[in-house]
Amino acid sequence: YLKNQKNDELIFELKIEGITNEKILSAIKKVPRELFVEQHLIKKAYQNNALSTDCGQTVSQPYVVAYMISCLNLKKTDKILEIGTGTGWQTAILSHLCKEVFTIERFNVLLNKAKKNIAKLNIKNVKYKLGNGIKGWKQKFLFDAIVISATSDNIPEKLLENLKLNGRLIMPKKYHTGNQKLLLINKKNENHFDEEELLDVK
């Protein structure tokens, strides 16, 4: 019961911060975040903060995850590529919002955790790959949306090739000034991409 109450408090906080998409809020509600955080951080599982995990990585801040997903305008029929599975929290949320999630993680420790966590929730529409996400999934595969969890200095070319026409990619981009912003990219055709800078992140 307490978990549900804490999750409700998190949902309420996300609404106050401007996340209004009911589908996303409902997906977050279905995924118990305490499954995805380190044992000693379980008390903090429903705080609106990033939490550290293995391999120097983090379980992303709920607001940023919800915001990034909301920018992608996902449909139930979509296939999405996630770069940076981590412990699988965002992966599990995405699984409730689209047809299939393809997710790539470079740390085996994290990928195995994610697989176990997601299996506990009986989620069946996720495909996993160990590797460097910058290289994309595979040549001829196209996605409706791509979400990149880790900051990068540049927009990975390969991933733009993996995007369908009118597909969207969202990522935190690092600028030479040292600050980071979320970048939303919309593929208009093979050579034309609309870029939009969104909020500052860290």
Side-chain angles (χ1 to χ4, degrees), residues 67-68 71 168-171 175 180-185 195-201:
Y67 182 85
M68 284 173 83
C71 293
R168 290 163 165 248
L169 178 150
I170 194 162
M171 63 177 277
Y175 292 84
Q180 300 174 19
K181 278 189 193 300
L182 282 182
L183 197 60
L184 180 65
I185 295 166
E195 282 184 32
E196 189 186 344
E197 281 185 2
L198 309 165
L199 73 168
D200 287 309
V201 284

Side-chain angles (χ1 to χ4, degrees), residues 1 7 15 23 31 59 62 75 77 90 97 99 111 127-128 139 141 165 183 199:
Y1 165 73
N7 209 352
K15 280 184 180 168
K23 284 184 194 141
V31 180
V59 182
K75 296 189 291 298
T77 49
Q90 176 175 264
L97 295 166
K99 189 176 176 194
L111 194 64
K127 291 188 168 58
Y128 304 91
Q139 227 42 53
F141 216 88
L165 283 187
L183 197 60
L199 73 168

Side-chain angles (χ1 to χ4, degrees), residues 57-111:
Q57 304 301 301
T58 57
V59 182
S60 298
Q61 182 191 355
Y63 173 75
V64 174
V65 168
Y67 182 85
M68 284 173 83
I69 295 173
S70 70
C71 293
L72 294 172
N73 296 342
L74 294 176
K75 296 189 291 298
K76 258 304 190 202
T77 49
D78 283 350
K79 287 182 177 163
I80 185 166
L81 176 62
E82 177 190 43
I83 308 299
T85 318
T87 59
W89 183 61
Q90 176 175 264
T91 320
I93 293 167
L94 289 168
S95 77
H96 291 295
L97 295 166
C98 57
K99 189 176 176 194
E100 275 183 295
V101 183
F102 295 75
T103 186
I104 307 179
E105 173 54 60
R106 60 196 173 113
F107 296 110
N108 211 358
V109 179
L110 289 175
L111 194 64

Side-chain angles (χ1 to χ4, degrees), residues 108-168:
N108 211 358
V109 179
L110 289 175
L111 194 64
N112 287 332
K113 272 193 181 179
K115 285 178 180 172
K116 281 194 191 106
N117 293 336
I118 287 169
K120 281 180 199 158
L121 297 175
N122 206 19
I123 289 168
K124 301 270 196 274
N125 59 340
V126 177
K127 291 188 168 58
Y128 304 91
K129 190 185 245 189
L130 179 69
N132 184 347
I134 299 301
K135 298 192 172 84
W137 193 263
K138 54 175 183 275
Q139 227 42 53
K140 293 292 169 223
F141 216 88
L142 292 179
F143 297 94
D144 299 284
I146 298 176
V147 60
I148 304 179
S149 305
T151 310
S152 174
D153 298 333
N154 43 31
I155 301 155
E157 287 292 316
K158 263 281 175 276
L159 293 180
L160 294 177
E161 288 170 21
N162 271 173
L163 208 52
K164 282 185 184 169
L165 283 187
N166 292 313
R168 290 163 165 248

